[in-house]
Amino acid sequence: MTDLGELLYLLYDAHSRVQTVHAHYRSWENELLSSRAFDRNFERDEGWEEYERGRPTRPRESRAELWLEWPERVRKDTRSTGDGEHNILVTKDGEPWQYFPKSGVNRRVGGKPRHVAGIDVFDPAFLLTDLRLTPLGRKAVAGRDAIAVRVEPRASLWDHGFTHLDLLEELTVDGERGTLLSGVWRLEGEEMRRFEFERISFDEPIDPAAFVPDVPAEPRSWGADFPKAKHVTVAEAAELASFSVWELPHLPEGWSSRAWYVPDHPERPETVGIEYVRRDATARLALEQQSASSSEQRTRIVRETVERNGRKIEVMGAYGGSNVEVELEGTHVRIDSQLPMDSLVDIAATLARVR
């Protein structure tokens, strides 16, 4: 049986035992459970009903190859096993950049590039202050001797953000290096996230060329090739759109409106937007409209469903925000505003089709 003192020593000083790493690992995540876990930080006492339209609820899985020269020289090639999406994360001049070959996006990103599943597996001393760790015995992971560990949050831990340390339940720790070799997160008993190294080698020479992948030198943002929004009247937007367009039946006194149209693109669906703004700039209301068939591809979190004026209106919530959505004759309409939620529901119930 592994001694707790041995485990704590391995974790506390793990970073000093890493010079270079070359590894392959896999990770997967239930996106709906992760969204719910994130939303707990804002709606702790609310009951949420999660569902996903257009595809079954299943984990998003990826495999990655990692090169690390301690502490911050990193390259990470990640491929999704579902859609084949490929991205390369590499440090340039000490800063992490991410390149997506399919779209050509090349951007500087935040965070620590050596992190796996959101945590620093090579310097895990941070776990000691937030978690209660219980060694359960030895097991083999990635061909290495490892310590299986049960994890429980300390009473003072409340983890806001992506890491979700309060939901981490299982770890395996390399018995020689202290590196975390696998981890499992659960939300209400259901597995939410997992990572596991499949192969890993330490302190072997790495060809410097590994850290200089064939990526563009110039940054390129998301949507660089997207068609630009065309500012039009509401009537013109209705003529351009392939779906029915909806508006407020009457423009409230003291408000103005404007509209825009965005053509269809392989990475972004055809969209009509109508924005209503009070002339004193104290309130705003936005209607975003797309074909219901294209909007079905999004993961959506429904907080409550309300029947009003014969329409089924969904009160939504994600990452601390709220809005309402309604489907009208094949058009998906999303309504955003700082107005009270009851007002948004009333608006959804009275939207009129543009003639």
Side-chain angles (χ1 to χ4, degrees), residues 26 115 119 122 125 165 170 206 219 308 315 321 346 353 355:
R26 71 181 185 95
H115 283 195
I119 59 176
F122 302 107
L165 285 183
E170 299 176 19
I206 297 178
R308 190 77 57 87
V315 178
D346 288 339
R353 182 171 178 171
R355 300 298 179 185

Side-chain angles (χ1 to χ4, degrees), residues 16-140:
S16 69
R17 305 184 193 96
V18 175
Q19 298 300 317
T20 66
V21 176
H22 183 208
H24 293 77
Y25 68 89
R26 71 181 185 95
S27 60
W28 60 267
E29 182 166 10
N30 185 313
E31 294 177 281
L32 294 180
L33 289 181
S34 292
S35 294
R36 180 176 181 181
F38 200 99
D39 279 316
R40 298 170 316 149
N41 300 334
F42 304 99
E43 300 284 350
R44 186 70 169 165
D45 299 322
E46 295 283 353
W48 293 79
E49 174 192 353
E50 292 87 9
Y51 72 96
E52 189 175 36
R53 287 186 173 181
R55 56 185 178 181
T57 302
R58 58 172 176 263
R60 178 186 60 194
E61 185 174 10
S62 63
R63 278 185 155 80
E65 184 173 7
L66 169 74
W67 297 261
L68 166 65
E69 186 178 276
W70 189 263
E72 297 292 354
R73 195 179 190 196
V74 178
R75 175 180 171 183
K76 189 188 298 180
D77 283 24
T78 305
R79 292 182 185 272
S80 168
T81 56
D83 57 16
E85 180 66 58
H86 175 211
N87 74 80
I88 300 171
L89 185 69
V90 62
T91 48
K92 296 191 295 185
D93 299 323
E95 295 183 317
W97 286 73
Q98 194 170 31
Y99 173 58
F100 294 80
K102 181 179 178 181
S103 63
V105 169
N106 187 34
R107 61 178 185 173
R108 185 168 55 190
V109 294
K112 291 285 187 179
R114 68 171 184 255
H115 283 195
V116 173
I119 59 176
D120 194 342
V121 299
F122 302 107
D123 188 11
F126 68 95
L127 298 175
L128 302 179
T129 59
D130 293 325
L131 302 173
R132 186 176 293 107
L133 308 173
T134 304
L136 301 177
R138 318 292 289 208
K139 64 184 296 186

Side-chain angles (χ1 to χ4, degrees), residues 1 40 66 108 110 128 205 259 265 298 314 327:
M1 190 69 174
R40 298 170 316 149
L66 169 74
R108 185 168 55 190
L128 302 179
H265 184 274
R298 299 181 296 119
E314 295 170 338
E327 187 172 317

